[in-house]
Amino acid sequence: MINFKLNGKSTKLDVEGDRMLLWVLRTDLGLTGTKFGCGESLCGACTVVVGKEALRSCQLPVREVRGKEVTTIEGLAGNGTLHPLQKAFAELGALQCGFCTPGMIMNAYALLLKNPRPTRDQIISGMDQNLCRCAAHKRIVEAIESASRKV
Ligand code: FES
Ligand code: FES
């Protein structure tokens, strides 16, 4: 049995501890906002936040989150209001196909938790390992800059 907090709610699952968190979220719990890209910790599409750390759920055995707080893209909006990052991505068109977007936003969310007013260079280096096939990187950086003024 694995206990953890998921998007603010206590969660108890009867699941093998070495099952990857990505599949627990997507298949077992139906939270499909977290995406499967490479499965090898290379692209960042599967990024979730554990405590204050952005982690890649495709390579994270669920036992590693026992007793911890996990936030996924589904947990960001509160009371029907989008998080400033979600708003900024939408308003500034920081996406094309949108596949990388949940991972980008969760990585940026962890970045802003640690450093609420990052410089442009800090944003670029903090987002460097999240890949976007549609080459929306410039607008992604602009959206994070814009959101950082509102969180
Ligand atoms: S799917 Fe996890 S890093 Fe690519
Ligand atoms: S918007 Fe398509 S992969 Fe980033």
Side-chain angles (χ1 to χ4, degrees), residues 1-2 4 12-20 23-24 28 62-63 66:
M1 199 63 77
I2 311 267
F4 59 104
K12 194 179 196 181
L13 294 176
D14 187 6
V15 65
E16 292 291 325
D18 54 7
R19 186 165 167 77
M20 294 304 159
W23 302 117
V24 172
D28 303 354
V62 66
R63 71 176 118 77
R66 183 177 270 135

Side-chain angles (χ1 to χ4, degrees), residues 82-132:
L82 290 180
H83 186 276
L85 277 165
Q86 293 172 306
K87 264 192 203 152
F89 269 64
E91 284 167 4
L92 297 177
L95 57 124
Q96 194 166 316
C97 76
F99 197 81
C100 69
T101 311
M104 290 285 181
I105 290 180
M106 295 317 293
N107 198 66
Y109 177 69
L111 188 75
L112 296 186
L113 282 180
K114 291 184 186 170
N115 179 5
R117 295 285 179 275
T119 62
R120 179 167 277 228
D121 283 351
Q122 286 170 330
I123 294 173
I124 291 170
S125 72
M127 299 302 295
D128 194 40
Q129 298 302 311
N130 280 63
L131 309 183
C132 173

Side-chain angles (χ1 to χ4, degrees), residues 22 35-46 56 58:
L22 175 63
K35 302 299 183 212
F36 170 63
C38 64
E40 296 179 6
S41 212
L42 297 172
C43 72
C46 65
R56 299 194 164 185
C58 70

